[in-house]
Amino acid sequence: MMKALRAVFAATTALCAATAANATDLEVTHWWTSGGEAAAVAEFAKAFDATGNKWVDGAIAGSGGTARPIMISRITGGDPMGATQFNHGRQAEELVEAGLMRDLTDIAEEGNWKEVIHPSSLLDSCTLDGRIYCVPVNIHSQQWLWLNNKVFEDNGLAVPTNWDEYAAAAPKLEAAGIVPLAMGQQPWQTTLAFQVLLTALAGPEAYTKIFGEKDAELAASDELAKVFQAAATARDMSKDSNVQGWNDATTMVITGKAAGQIMGDWAQGEFQVANQVAGEDYTCLPGLGVNEVIMTGGDAFYFPKVDDPAITEAQGELAKVMLSPETQVAFNLKKGSLPVRGDVDLAAANDCMKKGLDILAKGNVIQSPDQLMSADSLTQVNDLFVEFFNNPSMTAEDAQATFASIVGNAD
């Protein structure tokens, strides 16, 4: 009996030693640092660690605008991480063209990614010259307005169902000492608000013509003038919002200091961490309650080329794990985003996620700016709206003229 136990113990010890020997530390860089984001990324780490490897977290605070230059510098400087987040689109295009990113086509074919990833534009954004270079992990849409129901009810106001009702409630909210619109100071937040207003008020086709077809004439038109007037209204509604991070602005809404926020569906992760219930404590209006669409942008992971075969193998394991049905559900439920797989069970989805899934099922989708316009051109757009939202003397007409010029010269 003792001999048998010793044999079992020896075999177990040998197996554990072998597993430890094969385990690989893989540094993964990303910019998910808020409470909801941290809870979501932990699901990726847990699933990857279950393969016997080790997720080494390389979170970089400050959002993508801060993190991306650091990530790119490391990759081009010969100090690549094992995997890194970008938004799927054109952000990593030059790195791929320079031969610095790993080709994932074989893994994609083995996993039937073309069959399970929906919509197909997500994988198209990872594809260059017919080869696949990234793993799309979620669908994140900018097109949402988040409202604190209690703030409106306590002030004798109906919870708005669209942008016009929301804007009309602003004076009474301000009189009660409540910031109508929470807005952080990170540059991309003001551009996001404008893009959401454009899509909602001018329509998805106008958005696509301007950002995708670079239609400068439309950008300068009377039709777009109403969007810039709405942006001026949003600027006035947010004038007393003095926080920096997007999640700080979300917290203003959750705590009742602000009535609402124009923000992507990642804001929902913050509501969940605060134990808020969708449809009861807060309301989500896709497309500002005017044009209900889902933007098929989101996050993707790229894998820099490395010489270490152990890291290369671990990269492949992570790529597979991120797209497994179980991980897709666990991650996206906490992130507030939609899964990229069309074959997963989302019975646990809340009110807001169900709205998003319904819109997606109807095919009411648009591509993200990163999928339509170069990073350089988008930086110019960002700079414009940072100035516009921070300089009340800049008129809507002047902002529109500058915007039309940027669009006309965009690539």
Side-chain angles (χ1 to χ4, degrees):
M1 181 68 176
M2 289 300 294
K3 285 183 178 180
L5 289 173
R6 289 193 188 99
V8 171
F9 178 76
T12 303
T13 301
L15 178 62
C16 290
T19 301
N22 295 329
T24 300
D25 288 352
L26 193 72
E27 182 191 8
V28 185
T29 54
H30 59 86
W31 55 81
W32 289 325
T33 56
S34 76
E37 290 172 330
V41 78
E43 294 295 336
F44 276 153
K46 181 171 66 176
F48 181 62
D49 288 354
T51 68
N53 295 293
K54 179 64 178 175
W55 173 290
V56 178
D57 200 67
I60 301 172
S63 80
T66 300
R68 276 191 297 272
I70 297 172
M71 296 164 173
I72 292 170
S73 178
R74 283 191 53 184
I75 295 167
T76 57
D79 181 30
M81 62 295 290
T84 190
Q85 173 194 8
F86 284 102
N87 298 118
H88 42 72
R90 299 178 61 182
Q91 290 177 354
E93 191 172 73
E94 292 181 1
L95 295 173
V96 172
E97 290 173 341
L100 296 172
M101 291 300 190
R102 179 178 172 184
D103 186 338
L104 302 172
T105 307
D106 290 346
I107 294 173
E109 290 175 349
E110 179 186 343
N112 295 315
W113 289 7
K114 287 186 178 180
E115 284 71 37
V116 301
I117 292 177
H118 177 74
S120 59
S121 60
L122 298 172
L123 198 58
D124 291 343
S125 294
C126 287
T127 305
L128 188 67
D129 297 330
R131 309 300 292 180
I132 296 169
Y133 291 93
C134 70
V135 183
V137 297
N138 59 10
I139 301 170
H140 257 323
S141 180
Q142 299 180 171
Q143 312 293 318
W144 296 87
L145 174 61
W146 305 91
L147 302 170
N148 182 316
N149 292 352
K150 190 173 186 296
V151 164
F152 290 94
E153 293 163 358
D154 286 352
N155 287 280
L157 294 163
V159 177
T161 62
N162 57 48
W163 169 256
D164 287 342
E165 293 175 4
Y166 176 49
K172 188 168 184 178
L173 293 168
E174 283 186 310
I178 295 165
V179 177
L181 176 63
M183 178 86 70
Q185 299 303 307
Q186 293 161 312
W188 59 270
Q189 294 187 57
T190 50
T191 302
L192 181 150
F194 169 77
Q195 289 165 347
V196 173
L197 286 164
L198 191 163
T199 305
L201 303 181
E205 288 186 7
Y207 161 81
T208 301
K209 285 182 179 179
I210 289 170
F211 280 89
E213 300 173 21
K214 319 301 185 294
D215 190 334
E217 184 176 346
L218 177 58
S221 70
D222 290 342
E223 182 182 354
L224 259 290
K226 64 184 178 183
V227 176
F228 281 87
Q229 291 298 329
T233 298
R235 177 174 64 184
D236 186 60
M237 290 170 67
S238 64
K239 65 182 183 295
D240 294 322
S241 178
N242 56 7
V243 295
Q244 181 70 19
W246 69 266
N247 52 308
D248 297 321
T250 307
T251 298
M252 288 180 66
V253 179
I254 292 170
T255 58
K257 294 179 181 178
Q261 179 188 23
I262 297 173
M263 187 48 58
D265 48 17
W266 50 88
Q268 190 170 192
E270 305 305 301
F271 283 96
Q272 291 186 22
V273 168
N275 296 315
Q276 300 284 291
V277 178
E280 296 180 16
D281 299 310
Y282 65 98
T283 291
C284 52
L285 296 180
L288 305 184
V290 182
N291 269 300
E292 294 191 350
V293 296
I294 288 293
M295 182 175 283
T296 56
D299 302 294
F301 278 82
Y302 288 77
F303 300 84
K305 283 184 179 178
V306 294
D307 294 328
D308 188 333
I311 290 180
T312 299
E313 184 176 352
Q315 288 176 332
E317 288 295 319
L318 180 57
K320 295 173 185 176
V321 160
M322 285 179 158
L323 272 182
S324 73
E326 299 80 10
T327 309
Q328 275 284 295
V329 171
F331 170 78
N332 284 293
L333 284 176
K334 290 190 176 177
K335 191 68 168 63
S337 47
L338 302 178
V340 300
R341 293 188 67 116
D343 60 349
V344 297
D345 180 11
L346 280 168
N350 68 15
D351 181 67
C352 293
M353 186 178 281
K354 286 176 181 175
K355 287 182 181 179
L357 289 168
D358 182 57
I359 295 167
L360 190 63
K362 291 176 181 176
N364 296 342
V365 298
I366 56 175
Q367 290 184 290
S368 73
D370 295 308
Q371 294 168 295
L372 298 173
M373 192 176 279
S374 73
D376 287 343
S377 297
L378 287 176
T379 296
Q380 294 177 52
V381 174
N382 276 349
D383 291 344
L384 167 62
F385 287 102
V386 168
E387 182 181 0
F388 178 72
F389 271 84
N390 286 280
N391 180 9
S393 66
M394 186 178 193
T395 67
E397 292 78 12
D398 287 344
Q400 184 175 6
T402 302
F403 179 67
S405 176
I406 294 171
V407 170
N409 291 290
D411 52 12

